[in-house]
Amino acid sequence: MEKREELVSRLRGVPEGTPTVDEVRAMVAADPTLKCVVCYARISFDGRVKDAHGIEDQHREMGDHARAFNWLVVYRYTDNDKSASKESVVRDDFEQLITDLKAGHTPEGYPIHGVMAVNDDRLYRRPSDWERYLKAFTAHEGRVYHDSNGIQDLYAEGFEIKGLVGVAMSLSETRKKQRRSRNSHRNRAIRGLAVSAWRPFGWEDDKVTLRPKEADAIRQAVKDVIAGASISEITRQWKEAEFITSRGNPFQYQTVKQVLMNPRLCGYREIKGELVRDGDDKPVVGEWEAIVTPKDWYAVTNTIRERGRGSGVPTGGLVHKYLLTGILRCGNVLEDGTVCNNKMIGIKANDWLKYKHAYMCKKAVDGGCNKTYKRGDETDRFVVDVVIAKLEKDAASKSRDVPDWDKAEALERAIRSRKELERRWHDDEDTDIDDEAFFRNLPVIERRIKELRADQAKNEALKAEAESAEADIAASFKGKTLTQKRKAIKDALVAVVAVPGGKGNKAFDYELLKPVWRTSE
């Protein structure tokens, strides 16, 4: 099948086999009744297949009509997958058509005696575009226009008003369709039905049944992000596993983030940033299988938001090769009695040594003293062991430190207040709540409800993190990525001071490593 880009390119410009400009001018001189016309094709949505079949069909139909009238198509304008009703959308070929109509000829110099479209709403859907098109079209006399209604006389008296009426009716119908689509979308969401146009990553084509391999990857990613993994790490893992999005593209940072923050993971639905709720103000649970629990979803979304501070932009940072680079500090006492305290770096060990890496203080020219050296494997093992011991000690009490959310009654009161305000506003007999009073008080209540729900979500996230901390610390630590391990160590320790061990081949002395624990303050 011909690629879409190639097909669109072929359906744009001078049709293949068209005589040269000089030949066409000679043909027109010999036959003044010959009309050189241009065709405009547009479609708002190219469909899921994205094969440009819509504009191809339009150009085929216009070509058939042109041959029936013995007209010569000298140029084709094509705007594929572009709306004509949205002001933000720029239709490049439509703009080129306006320019060429004013000039009286195509960019190559072919004369323009008329325009063809399968329907007038392909050309314009907004009054401003209609006025611009009509002005450009009538800039030269004697042109013809053909659409589904046949040949139209755009020069006729009153046609401008007729066109504006048609545009208004078209706009009205477009808005009705958009409104019906929004209402249908929301009603389906309230009923818990799947409404996504594409197969969501993690589910089969029915959008209900889980696709095991993808669902497992999402479940593990949620767990890893809560435990400290970055979105960039998850993105790299999914690329290495050769996962692709439902649209067939490789995963990027933003698409992975969207997957993990989608409430669909726990069975919920979201419209314009708000969870869809039932009459009792409870989140509606969809018909599809959930991948994680609501508590885990609250936890991962809260983690991502806190980490990115709502910017949605990767924060970057150095990617370290060795576990304790920058965490180890040199404890060598200098000649003036002060401690070096320089951050130590990880290095590759010499090939004849049994261990693969080591840590050393930087050279004097780089701000260090170059006096402290520690073999990497033993240093890593010691620091990991003491951190795990500390985490295991803290884990048992951590879940007890997160109290139950104590603002449920306040949320219920706020919801009841909103319902009562709405009831009184709708009640014709209640004269003390007019429109002004209603819209003055409603935002205050809505803001209070939103704040309480955000607080509730944060509490759920803290509980989920606390529960995950009660799992097998040692086993989970072993499965962490290097970034996750470094984060866990830095959360527990301010630094580890490494004291020089003297010269000679001596047994590794753990007493020369001094952890500096991070206090709650």
Side-chain angles (χ1 to χ4, degrees), residues 469-489:
E470 292 185 275
D472 188 339
I473 301 292
S476 64
F477 197 94
K478 185 178 179 181
K480 290 180 184 293
T481 64
L482 181 67
T483 302
Q484 288 175 293
K485 290 176 181 178
R486 283 179 56 84
K487 181 180 183 303
I489 291 171

Side-chain angles (χ1 to χ4, degrees), residues 57 114 200 230 271 384 432 460:
D57 294 343
S230 67
I271 295 180
V384 168
D432 63 330
E460 291 282 351

Side-chain angles (χ1 to χ4, degrees), residues 25 99-106 109-113 136 140 143:
R25 291 189 182 278
T99 299
D100 295 346
L101 284 174
K102 291 177 182 177
H105 55 78
T106 69
Y110 290 100
I112 301 178
H113 302 141
H140 297 265
R143 283 174 171 167

Side-chain angles (χ1 to χ4, degrees), residues 94-359:
F94 177 75
E95 296 300 327
Q96 184 64 50
L97 171 62
I98 297 296
T99 299
D100 295 346
L101 284 174
K102 291 177 182 177
H105 55 78
T106 69
E108 291 77 13
Y110 290 100
I112 301 178
H113 302 141
V115 178
M116 300 185 74
V118 295
N119 208 328
D120 57 359
D121 64 2
R122 299 301 88 196
L123 278 162
Y124 45 80
R125 276 186 175 272
R126 295 185 293 128
S128 59
D129 286 341
W130 158 246
E131 291 171 353
R132 291 169 60 217
Y133 169 72
L134 183 63
K135 184 177 181 180
F137 183 93
T138 56
H140 297 265
E141 295 294 331
R143 283 174 171 167
V144 294
Y145 170 68
H146 182 273
D147 61 16
S148 59
N149 294 315
I151 298 177
Q152 306 290 313
D153 183 5
L154 271 60
Y155 301 92
E157 186 177 352
F159 198 88
E160 181 174 3
I161 302 301
K162 180 181 177 183
L164 285 173
V165 171
V167 170
M169 293 176 65
S170 178
L171 271 178
S172 176
E173 185 60 29
T174 298
R175 286 167 182 162
K176 284 181 181 177
K177 288 179 180 179
Q178 292 173 342
R179 187 162 56 249
R180 285 196 295 267
S181 176
R182 286 195 300 268
N183 291 340
S184 174
H185 187 82
R186 182 168 185 82
N187 289 334
R188 285 174 60 84
I190 290 173
R191 292 198 302 272
L193 302 178
V195 295
S196 53
W198 299 85
R199 177 188 76 82
F201 182 74
W203 284 268
E204 298 290 354
D205 291 334
D206 62 6
K207 306 169 189 173
V208 174
T209 309
L210 294 182
R211 183 168 288 189
K213 193 173 181 181
E214 294 179 358
D216 289 343
I218 291 173
R219 202 173 287 117
Q220 186 61 49
V222 168
K223 180 180 177 182
D224 289 344
V225 170
I226 293 173
S230 67
I231 302 294
S232 298
E233 285 182 300
I234 304 301
T235 305
R236 187 182 68 250
Q237 291 171 6
W238 285 9
K239 284 184 176 179
E240 290 174 354
E242 298 184 348
F243 285 124
I244 57 174
T245 69
S246 300
R247 301 192 184 192
N249 301 315
F251 272 103
Q252 304 297 329
Y253 178 97
Q254 199 62 32
T255 47
V256 171
K257 179 182 174 183
Q258 288 170 356
V259 168
L260 297 182
M261 296 189 72
N262 190 343
R264 185 179 228 277
L265 299 186
C266 68
Y268 292 168
R269 278 284 296 136
E270 191 175 66
I271 295 180
K272 293 184 177 180
E274 296 289 339
L275 290 179
V276 178
R277 298 175 181 272
D278 58 21
D280 295 323
D281 215 59
K282 304 295 183 184
V284 174
V285 178
E287 63 177 354
W288 54 89
E289 296 181 54
I291 295 178
V292 300
T293 65
K295 189 174 292 185
D296 285 337
W297 177 74
Y298 279 122
V300 74
T301 52
N302 185 68
T303 300
I304 293 172
R305 288 192 181 108
E306 288 293 323
R307 191 180 298 167
R309 294 183 178 88
S311 65
V313 179
T315 55
L318 292 175
V319 177
H320 293 282
K321 187 175 181 180
Y322 301 107
L323 182 65
L324 301 176
T325 296
I327 297 175
L328 282 179
R329 290 195 175 255
C330 177
N332 180 48
V333 179
L334 304 177
E335 292 180 358
D336 62 359
T338 61
V339 177
C340 174
N341 200 36
N342 191 62
K343 290 182 178 180
M344 297 176 65
I345 59 173
I347 59 171
K348 183 180 181 297
N350 292 324
D351 294 338
W352 63 81
L353 296 173
K354 294 180 180 180
Y355 50 92
K356 302 296 183 182
H357 71 285
Y359 297 100

